[in-house]
């Protein structure tokens, strides 16, 4: 098949996997694009490794404190090599495993999806949610708001117990306080829907009501990394319990994350997305940056393919200058 030498504006504006593939094909023989892709890919892999090491520190700390079982063994993962596969193909594979599952109809499936950055986890989860929502009640679970809730409690404790109210991790994040903070979180149905309640230290809040307001305040956001390192175990167990409650209520849960954390959620539906050609990780990221930059310019629905190519070339040149500088 002949490699396309143009990208239509209609393809560019979709900003999806098809757009990335079109741009990668367009620049398949471009040393400039491949150079940008290598820089992007190396940066992604380095960040993934750094994040994994930081996360492991928190996991090991929780194991040492006896919060999580150091000998816990999860169900095996099914590897899906996404090379040459569309998001639909990946979803078809996962849905095929769901169809073969022997659970009862009144219990929701729990689907765990892991993989390096750039393998399409987010795209797969989003598309799975769309497809499954036609016949199932679906929830995409994230631990982020639980970490934010614990950070809010820790910051509130500091405000109430320290002379100047300034956040102090050493005093706030003792074993006794952490146990107290996690006991102030409850996952259940409130007003007919599943939610997390924060009840303690004078607070009585539902996460769904404050996730875009109070939980985004600076006193929460700037202290999340510190709290997360100390509370990985507590959040892992809280999430596992919440997911079990929803599953028993007939909800299908999509859980995207790193294996170190999602291992503790019991389910046979575990998938790791891989790319046998890891250079595509950088190429996808480079394509995403290019499409976003091009759409931020003067292109319109009336733009010709030559005009789209010219703008892409210009934006590629700018991105290369960023690297050089």
């Amino acid at each position: 098949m002949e490699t396309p030498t143009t990208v239509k504006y209609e393809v560019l504006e979709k900003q999806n996997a098809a757009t990335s593939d079109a741009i990668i094909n367009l620049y398949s023989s471009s040393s400039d694009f491949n150079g940008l892709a290598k820089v992007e890919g190396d940066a992604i892999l380095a960040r993934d490794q750094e994040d994994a090491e930081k996360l492991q520190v928190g996991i090991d700390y929780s194991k040492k404190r006896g919060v999580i079982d150091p000998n816990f063994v999860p169900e095996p993962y099914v590897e899906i090599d996404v090379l040459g596969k569309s998001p639909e193909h990946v979803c078809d594979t996962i849905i095929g495993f769901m169809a073969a599952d022997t659970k009862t109809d009144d219990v929701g499936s729990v689907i765990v999806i892991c993989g390096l950055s750039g393998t399409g986890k987010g795209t797969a989860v989003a598309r799975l949610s769309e497809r499954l929502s036609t016949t199932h009640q679906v929830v995409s679970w994230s631990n982020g708001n639980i970490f934010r809730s614990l950070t809010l409690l820790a910051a509130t404790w500091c405000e109430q117990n320290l002379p100047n109210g300034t956040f102090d991790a050493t005093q706030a994040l003792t074993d006794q306080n952490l146990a107290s903070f996690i006991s102030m979180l409850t996952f259940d149905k409130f007003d007919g829907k599943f939610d997390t309640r924060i009840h303690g230290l004078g607070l009585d809040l539902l996460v769904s009501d404050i996730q875009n307001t109070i939980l985004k305040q600076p006193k929460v956001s700037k202290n999340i990394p510190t709290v997360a390192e100390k509370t990985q175990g507590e959040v892992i167990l809280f999430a596992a319990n919440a997911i079990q409650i929803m599953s028993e209520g007939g909800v299908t849960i999509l859980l995207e994350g790193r294996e170190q954390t999602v291992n503790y959620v019991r389910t046979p539906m575990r998938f790791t997305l891989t790319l046998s050609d890891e250079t595509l990780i950088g190429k996808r990221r480079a394509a995403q940056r290019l499409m976003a930059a091009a759409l931020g310019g003067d292109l319109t629905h009336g733009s010709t393919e030559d005009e789209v190519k010219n703008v892409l070339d210009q934006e590629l040149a700018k991105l290369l200058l960023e690297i050089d500088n």
Side-chain angles (χ1 to χ4, degrees), residues 155-168 171:
T156 302
W157 183 91
C158 290
E159 291 170 348
Q160 295 176 355
N161 291 277
L162 301 183
N164 57 6
T166 302
F167 189 90
D168 185 323
Q171 296 189 65

Side-chain angles (χ1 to χ4, degrees), residues 11 49 93 135 146 208 253:
V11 173
Q49 182 61 34
T93 302
T135 55
I146 308 306
S208 64
I253 300 98

Side-chain angles (χ1 to χ4, degrees), residues 35-47 278-279 281-283 285-286:
L36 173 65
K38 185 178 189 313
V39 171
E40 293 289 346
D42 289 348
I44 288 171
L45 294 175
R47 283 196 301 270
E278 286 195 349
T279 65
I281 292 175
K283 289 177 181 177
R285 178 58 183 151

Side-chain angles (χ1 to χ4, degrees), residues 229-241:
E229 181 179 322
K230 300 293 185 182
T231 59
Q232 287 292 340
E234 284 83 358
V235 172
I236 285 169
L237 296 183
F238 184 90
N241 179 65

